[in-house]
């Protein structure tokens, strides 16, 4: 697996380094499509971007999408859109027309179809699949990524670009991107921090047989780059 590992002292340092990387990627591009993730590390990243990159990034070039969303209204505490709004969108100058949220309040089966059409319309395709410039992903303690959980491994190969997924414990419905569109991205960046991620990360990097059961293991871009941005706690035993 040709993975680029970026290891930093703690989650704040991961967020700061990644923000700088992101700003450079955007600066070199005429337009830049990003699928965002929920989770604790993106929250810190958004705070840092809001504070330090408000004017350093030309946000009018950026189109924002979501890799997954909980099926709740946009003002719900669980909404990934709400988190992004409160930590980033409220502070930066980005046209509303560049923000493509998943409508978590709508019927999930209709919304997944609508969102797939939005992706087809807004993002140019490669291999007949919309190709994001960048997809930011997290990894849960069970090895899930986006909202592809271990009990729904079939979503890694779903020929539709979006699917309705379900959280294994709460049974909350989610809309998620599927494996084929994630793996078609130009760049995929995992942001994962904290000691609770170390065991899974070690297994994924070593390619252990257990790791085959973790959705995150199967994120391998067809033609793009795979990056893991992690802190020392998540890196665990990995030799730097
Ligand atoms: C979500 C996510 C999810 C998340 C991981 C890691 O909306 O739940 O997109 O895949 O990234 O659960 O979350 P943490 O960074 O909080 O550990």
């Amino acid at each position: 697996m040709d993975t680029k590992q970026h290891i930093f002292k703690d989650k704040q340092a991961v967020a700061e380094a990644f923000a700088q990387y992101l700003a450079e990627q955007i600066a070199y591009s005429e337009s830049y499509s990003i699928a965002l993730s929920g989770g604790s590390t993106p929250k810190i990243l958004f705070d840092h971007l809001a504070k330090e990159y408000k004017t350093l990034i030309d946000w009018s070039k950026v189109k924002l999408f979501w890799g997954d969303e909980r099926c709740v209204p946009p003002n719900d505490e669980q909404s990934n859109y709400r988190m992004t709004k409160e930590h980033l969108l409220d502070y930066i100058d980005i046209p509303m027309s560049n923000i493509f949220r998943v409508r978590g309040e709508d019927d999930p089966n209709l919304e997944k179809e609508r969102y797939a059409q939005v992706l087809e319309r807004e993002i140019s395709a490669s291999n007949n699949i919309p190709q994001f410039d960048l997809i930011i992903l997290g990894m849960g303690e069970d090895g899930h990524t986006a909202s592809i959980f271990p009990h729904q491994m079939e979503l890694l190969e779903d020929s539709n670009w979006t699917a309705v997924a379900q959280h294994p414990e709460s049974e909350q419905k989610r809309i998620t991107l599927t494996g084929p569109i994630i793996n078609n991205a130009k760049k995929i960046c995992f942001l994962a921090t904290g000691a609770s991620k170390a065991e899974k990360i070690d297994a994924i990097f070593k390619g252990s047989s257990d790791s085959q059961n973790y959705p995150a293991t199967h994120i391998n871009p067809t033609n793009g780059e795979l990056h893991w941005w992690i802190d020392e706690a998540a890196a665990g035993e990995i030799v730097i």
Side-chain angles (χ1 to χ4, degrees), residues 24 39 43 57 75 83 105 125 145 165 169 186 199 214 220-221 224 237:
E24 283 163 14
K43 195 188 278 186
I57 289 177
N75 58 355
M83 189 278 273
E105 66 276 35
T145 190
E169 281 122 41
K186 287 188 190 158
E199 199 189 309
Y214 315 149
N220 271 316
E237 307 284 295

Side-chain angles (χ1 to χ4, degrees), residues 84-206:
T84 313
K85 182 173 181 314
E86 290 183 346
H87 291 268
L88 179 64
L89 305 178
D90 284 348
Y91 302 95
I92 58 172
D93 214 0
I94 183 165
M96 274 307 286
S97 55
N98 290 14
I99 299 173
F100 301 91
R101 75 173 180 90
V102 178
R103 296 178 56 91
E105 66 276 35
D106 287 353
D107 175 89
N109 283 310
L110 295 176
E111 178 55 10
K112 74 161 194 202
E113 300 291 341
R114 187 199 67 90
Y115 205 63
Q117 287 165 16
V118 169
L119 300 177
E120 177 160 31
R121 190 183 67 224
E122 297 295 334
I123 303 175
S124 48
S126 162
N127 311 315
N128 293 320
I129 304 176
Q131 185 175 47
F132 281 99
D133 289 307
L134 171 69
I135 299 187
I136 298 175
L137 293 173
M139 181 185 68
E141 287 170 30
D142 58 355
H144 83 261
T145 190
S147 280
I148 306 179
F149 293 91
H151 72 289
Q152 290 188 305
M153 296 295 273
E154 69 278 7
L155 298 185
L156 290 162
E157 286 171 13
D158 193 319
S159 60
N160 299 305
W161 304 330
T162 54
V164 179
Q166 202 159 19
H167 189 278
E169 281 122 41
S170 67
E171 298 188 356
Q172 178 188 57
K173 289 197 171 154
R174 313 225 175 150
I175 308 276
T176 187
L177 298 185
T178 59
I181 189 167
I182 296 176
N183 283 329
N184 198 47
K186 287 188 190 158
K187 288 192 168 66
I188 300 176
C189 290
F190 277 94
L191 303 183
T193 55
S196 64
K197 309 284 165 79
E199 199 189 309
K200 294 276 185 301
I201 287 179
D202 187 54
I204 292 171
F205 286 178
K206 284 188 180 142

